[in-house]
């Protein structure tokens, strides 16, 4: 039952975000914020596919323990593409609210992203191991959480100041995603049931993509 439900859920998620991303790219018509939003969605879906597809195959065949390496590498790729997702979301913020270059802020965003990606490439992560160290799971997520918090603050303040009703809950969607993701990183190995939080986390990302798509459809 778990294999069927999870596989169907993952297929629906991947098809939804990638399709919406392509539609936004095609419908952006030179509007950079929507083109970037579309690119975000495609990167999100394609990156997650590297982990979710092997997981679905494992669940429907011989089990997760026989796909440790594929799942680990997929998780690494997903970690990197998720970081790029937030970098692009930062540029969406810049274009939507006409924030300008913001050199110091941009430097901080890229620094956090590059540190996160560099940490993901470190061999100490032991991605292909059946029991990767929790400590490196924490290390590589520290800059990621800081980056996410920065995005939350930027969208919360700007949407509130400009009375942007379309994007008024985007910050909340990001908060929900991290609120579900952090416990998984910390406790999923010792308490497997915590892994179920990945479902609302995934829904939160679909929410983010839908906010961008609805904004594009509602714009002139």
């Amino acid at each position: 039952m778990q294999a069927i439900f999870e596989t169907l859920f993952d297929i629906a998620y991947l098809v939804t975000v990638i399709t919406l991303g392509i539609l936004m790219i095609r419908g952006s018509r030179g509007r950079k914020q929507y083109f970037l939003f579309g690119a975000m969605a495609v990167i999100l879906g394609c990156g997650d596919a590297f982990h979710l597809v092997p997981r679905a195959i494992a669940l429907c065949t011989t089990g997760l323990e026989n796909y440790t390496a594929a799942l680990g590498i997929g998780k690494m790729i997903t970690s990197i593409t998720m970081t790029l997702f937030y970098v692009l979301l930062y540029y969406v913020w810049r274009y939507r609210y006409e924030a300008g270059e913001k050199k110091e802020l941009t430097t901080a965003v890229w620094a956090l992203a590059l540190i996160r990606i560099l940490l993901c490439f470190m061999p100490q992560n032991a991605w292909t191991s059946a029991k990767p160290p929790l400590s490196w799971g924490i290390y590589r997520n520290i800059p990621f959480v800081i980056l996410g918090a920065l995005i939350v603050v930027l969208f919360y303040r700007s949407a509130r100041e400009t009375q942007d009703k379309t994007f008024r809950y985007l910050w909340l969607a990001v908060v929900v995603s991290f609120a579900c993701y952090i416990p998984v990183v910390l406790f999923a190995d010792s308490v497997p049931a915590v892994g179920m939080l990945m479902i609302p986390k995934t829904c939160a990302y679909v929410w983010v993509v839908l906010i961008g798509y609805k904004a594009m459809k509602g714009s002139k």
Side-chain angles (χ1 to χ4, degrees):
M1 183 63 71
Q2 177 191 355
I4 296 173
F5 171 78
E6 191 171 325
T7 299
L8 291 176
F9 177 83
D10 291 341
I11 291 173
Y13 160 65
L14 294 175
V15 170
T16 297
V17 295
I18 292 174
T19 300
L20 290 177
I22 293 172
L23 289 175
M24 279 190 277
I25 291 173
R26 293 182 61 184
S28 60
R29 298 177 182 176
R31 295 170 293 180
K32 292 183 179 179
Q33 63 169 300
Y34 299 122
F35 178 85
L36 290 174
F37 227 119
M40 278 169 47
V42 172
I43 289 173
L44 174 68
C46 291
D48 282 355
F50 279 94
H51 177 68
L52 296 179
V53 171
R55 183 175 176 84
I57 294 172
L59 288 172
C60 295
T61 55
T62 57
L64 297 174
E65 63 278 3
N66 294 314
Y67 288 81
T68 301
L71 290 169
I73 293 172
K75 188 176 179 180
M76 181 187 72
I77 294 172
T78 297
S79 298
I80 294 170
T81 54
M82 189 60 68
T83 307
L84 297 177
F85 175 90
Y86 281 104
V87 172
L88 291 179
L89 188 53
Y90 164 70
Y91 281 95
V92 168
W93 171 80
R94 275 182 42 174
Y95 284 117
R96 184 168 186 84
Y97 299 106
E98 300 179 349
E101 292 187 10
K102 299 287 185 181
K103 291 183 179 180
E104 293 181 358
L105 187 57
T106 302
T107 299
V109 167
W110 276 105
L112 289 168
L114 291 174
I115 292 171
R116 153 81 164 178
I117 292 172
L118 178 62
L119 288 173
C120 286
F121 278 117
M122 298 298 287
Q124 290 88 341
N125 287 286
W127 291 108
T128 58
S129 170
K131 293 184 178 180
L134 173 61
S135 58
W136 275 86
I138 295 173
Y139 298 154
R140 66 176 179 264
N141 278 298
I142 291 174
F144 186 53
V145 172
I146 296 173
L147 177 60
L150 181 59
I151 296 298
V152 166
V153 171
L154 291 175
F155 274 97
Y156 176 77
R157 288 182 175 177
S158 296
R160 187 175 182 181
E161 290 171 359
T162 60
Q163 296 295 303
D164 186 355
K165 293 183 179 180
T166 307
F167 272 51
R168 67 185 181 276
Y169 292 128
L170 190 143
W171 68 273
L172 181 59
V174 176
V175 169
V176 170
S177 70
F178 275 97
C180 295
Y181 175 67
I182 293 174
V184 172
V185 172
L186 296 175
F187 307 115
D189 288 339
S190 57
V191 186
V194 174
M196 293 297 290
L197 287 173
M198 292 302 285
I199 294 176
K201 173 211 173 246
T202 300
C203 292
Y205 280 112
V206 174
W207 186 10
V208 171
V209 174
L210 283 172
I211 288 173
Y213 180 73
K214 289 181 178 180
M216 185 192 74
K217 296 295 289 184
S219 64
K220 294 181 180 180

